[in-house]
Amino acid sequence: MSDTHPKHERTLVVVKPDGIQRSLVGEIIKRYEQSGLKLVGVKMLVPTADFVEQHYTLDPEWRMKTGMKTIESYKKKGKQPPSEDPLAITAIILRNLTKYLSRGPVVAMVWQGMHAVGIVRKITGGTEPLTSDMGTIRGDYTIDSYEVSDVDGRAVRNLVHASGSVDEAEKEITHWFKEGELIDYRLINEAMIYDKELEGILRA
Ligand code: GDP
Ligand code: MG
């Protein structure tokens, strides 16, 4: 199969400091692993605030998009946003995020496989744990909300980061991993997912 086959899609997952402190690393890895995706890189580190800020602003549009989305979500709930300026809102979110993610060790991983980005987002669940579906990591293992995190002046604690698109994943993987830290290897399980003929199961 060529290198452009969909089985080569990759995505970044970061288990945030609350995931480590809640002893959920094994459970989180298990969920992605059991899907059939392949782990091709993993490491533990304590990111600096600058590194976290760079991560969130790899997309130059992120500040504006996140600010606008947040203002809209306040208004949908009939609430007044802290500012009408999207960039001012994002400045608060970014300050809280850099603090949250640089407070302790995180585990960064790269998962590879067909639809890796979409499958990982599905397993991870929606951003706000209060409304993430049951059966997802954020829905099953934590209880935070935007409302309480905003009142307390901190980032919403949602255990993991997962890339939002293939383009975002490519940029984020380059930010977190050097070339030699990702391993290109064959996983026996992949045959059951990708082989066309499924030969060799029955003895001749
Ligand atoms: P994710 O990809 O599911 O993590 O979500 P986004 O990329 O949309 O947002 C990145 C981070 O910004 C989230 O993990 C939250 O910490 C924060 N964030 C996004 N939207 C909101 C919001 O409406 N309110 C607050 N307080 N934080 C938000
Ligand atoms: Mg995102």
Side-chain angles (χ1 to χ4, degrees):
M1 265 175 251
S2 74
D3 276 4
T4 56
H5 186 275
K7 75 175 190 176
H8 295 284
E9 185 171 310
R10 287 176 166 181
T11 193
L12 179 84
V13 170
V14 180
V15 182
K16 296 176 177 178
D18 51 331
I20 312 279
Q21 297 302 320
R22 299 271 319 280
S23 304
L24 287 169
V25 178
E27 190 58 40
I28 288 167
I29 290 180
K30 185 177 109 187
R31 292 202 171 198
Y32 298 125
E33 191 178 34
Q34 289 186 338
S35 72
L37 291 173
K38 174 166 72 173
L39 184 62
V40 296
V42 58
K43 63 180 170 186
M44 181 180 248
L45 68 153
V46 181
T48 64
D50 278 351
F51 184 86
V52 175
E53 176 159 346
Q54 285 158 16
H55 160 83
Y56 280 106
T57 53
L58 286 168
D59 170 8
E61 303 291 311
W62 184 83
R63 280 190 163 88
M64 187 53 86
K65 278 193 293 198
T66 304
M68 283 166 57
K69 193 189 84 176
T70 308
I71 290 174
E72 204 178 297
S73 100
Y74 269 99
K75 292 191 171 166
K76 237 189 253 164
K77 289 181 206 150
K79 291 190 177 156
Q80 195 54 34
S83 164
E84 291 289 340
D85 173 6
L87 296 179
I89 301 265
T90 311
I92 301 169
I93 291 179
L94 201 50
R95 195 179 57 228
N96 291 335
L97 278 170
T98 53
K99 206 194 261 181
Y100 168 33
L101 282 170
S102 62
R103 275 296 195 253
V106 304
V107 171
M109 300 177 264
V110 177
W111 290 91
Q112 179 176 317
M114 159 168 82
H115 308 300
V117 172
I119 297 288
V120 162
R121 291 288 284 197
K122 181 183 70 164
I123 295 168
T124 302
T127 310
E128 185 190 25
L130 176 63
T131 56
S132 328
D133 290 332
M134 291 305 295
T136 67
I137 292 167
R138 288 163 168 173
D140 285 355
Y141 295 120
T142 197
I143 57 175
D144 207 4
S145 67
Y146 289 143
E147 192 179 342
V148 176
S149 62
D150 284 351
V151 167
D152 288 349
R154 58 171 178 76
V156 67
R157 291 192 187 135
N158 56 10
L159 302 170
V160 275
H161 165 80
S163 307
S165 66
V166 171
D167 183 51
E168 193 175 292
E170 283 168 6
K171 290 194 184 103
E172 290 180 353
I173 290 168
T174 310
H175 183 59
W176 286 80
F177 286 88
K178 296 191 192 85
E179 189 86 18
E181 291 176 329
L182 300 177
I183 299 175
D184 188 12
Y185 67 101
R186 200 174 295 128
L187 187 66
I188 297 293
N189 281 348
E190 287 179 296
M192 281 307 110
I193 298 172
Y194 303 111
D195 270 12
K196 280 205 286 189
E197 308 298 344
L198 281 187
E199 285 173 334
I201 296 175
L202 295 173
R203 289 182 198 281

